[in-house]
Amino acid sequence: MNKSRRLGLLMIISGATLWGISGPIIQWLFQQTTITSLDFLIIRLLLAGILILAVLSIRKQSIFSIWKEPRQWIQLILFAIIGMLGAQYAFIETVRISNAVTATLFQFLGPVLITIYVAIQYKKLPTFIQMLSIIIALSGIFFLITNGSIENIILTKVAIIFGLLTAIGFTFYTLQPASLIKKWGSPLIVGWGMLLAGIALLLCNRQFSFLALAKTFTFETSTMLFLAIFSGTLSFVLYIGSLKYLSAMETSLLSSIEPLVAVIVSITWLNESFGGFQLIGGALIVVAVIALSLPEKELGTVARE
């Protein structure tokens, strides 16, 4: 195993762990404060974007060079609005409406969509293993939503919609910025993506007031807000950065620890309880992603190109 691959593995495992932790922290904030999804996102995206770009500037990296190339900044804006903002908003709304574990599992459906996208793009029918994995993943979603009873659906329609949007957003921000990252590096792309997404969200929510929100926070809730921002931001940098060294399929496989971390933290810290069939559904989704990632080395090579 070469040094670059080891670095990629370390990045995706660390990023997946941090993302698995960040979900329960965000859920705790929703339970303990009056903060909304939009408020949280504005704070996270603006502060994280400014911090990342500031660090890059201090390290003498030219953070504005990308704006000299129209094709590049057009792709960057698409990533910021559709990928960064879309995925994060859908994920956080799913956390707010349901819980962190459900949001993480919906996000984990991304590899299924990636498999379908790659098959369509390269006009290659899914293999038997891929088709079986997709069926298993869909079965997992069924159990997650219904807990085994179609007459007693656990999740609301809104939660299901935002959960599916989370999966779509995950797929987009995994595939779309690959060429940008290869040329500019993940910190720059993530930094600008977060800052642009935060600015767009702020313009759409002019009632937001940081000072008014700060008055409602205690030391404990402020600390947890910082941890949520830090863990979520670093996980994005590490996850997207790992794509420089690993294929999209490989990152999907290794990120399977996300729901496991989220379940452990939610049960031990938030005292969440889950139905037996829901846990089975979550396990089926993880198994499906692993099955998709392991045997198809050819698709992994395609994803790198």
Side-chain angles (χ1 to χ4, degrees):
M1 184 184 298
N2 58 44
K3 186 176 181 180
S4 295
R5 183 167 178 78
R6 285 199 298 270
L7 177 60
L9 292 173
L10 178 61
M11 292 175 73
I12 184 57
I13 292 173
S14 300
T17 301
L18 287 172
W19 190 255
I21 294 172
S22 69
I25 295 177
I26 296 170
Q27 182 178 338
W28 183 89
L29 283 171
F30 284 137
Q31 293 173 348
Q32 302 296 324
T33 71
T34 59
I35 193 171
T36 66
S37 299
L38 292 179
D39 291 338
F40 176 80
L41 266 182
I42 289 173
I43 296 172
R44 169 193 264 184
L45 293 171
L46 289 178
L47 292 183
I50 291 172
L51 178 61
I52 292 173
L53 294 177
V55 170
L56 293 177
S57 183
I58 292 172
R59 295 175 60 184
K60 307 300 182 181
Q61 182 171 342
S62 178
I63 62 174
F64 296 104
S65 296
I66 191 172
W67 295 101
K68 298 177 182 178
E69 302 184 29
R71 289 186 179 180
Q72 296 291 300
W73 60 254
I74 290 175
Q75 290 299 313
L76 177 60
I77 292 175
L78 286 175
F79 167 67
I81 303 302
I82 301 177
M84 184 65 71
L85 179 55
Q88 288 217 24
Y89 179 71
F91 177 85
I92 291 173
E93 271 294 284
T94 307
V95 172
R96 185 185 67 83
I97 297 169
S98 55
N99 55 65
V101 174
T102 298
T104 303
L105 287 172
F106 267 111
Q107 173 195 287
F108 213 63
L109 279 177
V112 176
L113 300 184
I114 290 173
T115 300
I116 296 173
Y117 170 82
V118 172
I120 293 174
Q121 183 181 21
Y122 292 92
K123 299 178 181 179
K124 182 178 180 179
L125 290 175
T127 64
F128 172 77
I129 292 296
Q130 290 175 332
M131 289 299 299
L132 181 61
S133 298
I134 292 172
I135 293 172
I136 291 173
L138 293 176
S139 300
I141 281 295
F142 171 79
F143 286 129
L144 180 66
I145 293 173
T146 65
N147 194 31
S149 174
I150 192 66
E151 298 177 355
N152 187 27
I153 295 177
I154 303 298
L155 300 181
T156 65
K157 291 182 180 179
V158 176
I160 296 172
I161 291 173
F162 274 105
L164 293 175
L165 289 175
T166 298
I168 294 172
F170 172 87
T171 303
F172 188 87
Y173 82 63
T174 298
L175 296 175
Q176 190 266 350
S179 61
L180 291 173
I181 290 169
K182 286 182 180 179
K183 183 170 183 176
W184 304 99
S186 61
L188 182 69
I189 300 305
V190 172
W192 274 118
M194 288 186 162
L195 181 58
L196 292 173
I199 292 173
L201 195 57
L202 182 61
L203 292 175
C204 295
N205 186 30
R206 298 188 179 184
Q207 295 180 342
F208 172 80
S209 172
F210 182 81
L211 292 177
L213 186 64
K215 292 179 181 179
T216 67
F217 272 68
T218 64
F219 175 78
E220 182 183 17
T221 53
S222 297
T223 301
M224 297 304 289
L225 176 62
F226 170 78
L227 288 176
I229 293 173
F230 176 79
S231 60
T233 301
L234 187 56
S235 68
F236 258 77
V237 173
L238 291 172
Y239 178 86
I240 295 180
S242 70
L243 295 173
K244 184 176 181 180
Y245 309 104
L246 305 172
S247 72
M249 289 296 178
E250 288 172 318
T251 58
S252 299
L253 167 64
L254 294 169
S255 64
S256 61
I257 63 174
E258 285 179 15
L260 176 61
V261 172
V263 167
I264 293 173
V265 175
S266 295
I267 292 176
T268 58
W269 180 41
L270 299 178
N271 296 317
E272 283 280 352
S273 60
F274 302 95
F277 281 103
Q278 284 186 297
L279 293 176
I280 291 173
L284 287 175
I285 293 171
V286 173
V287 168
V289 171
I290 292 175
L292 281 172
S293 304
L294 278 178
E296 298 301 323
K297 294 182 179 179
E298 184 176 339
L299 281 180
T301 302
V302 169
R304 286 196 191 96
E305 297 175 351

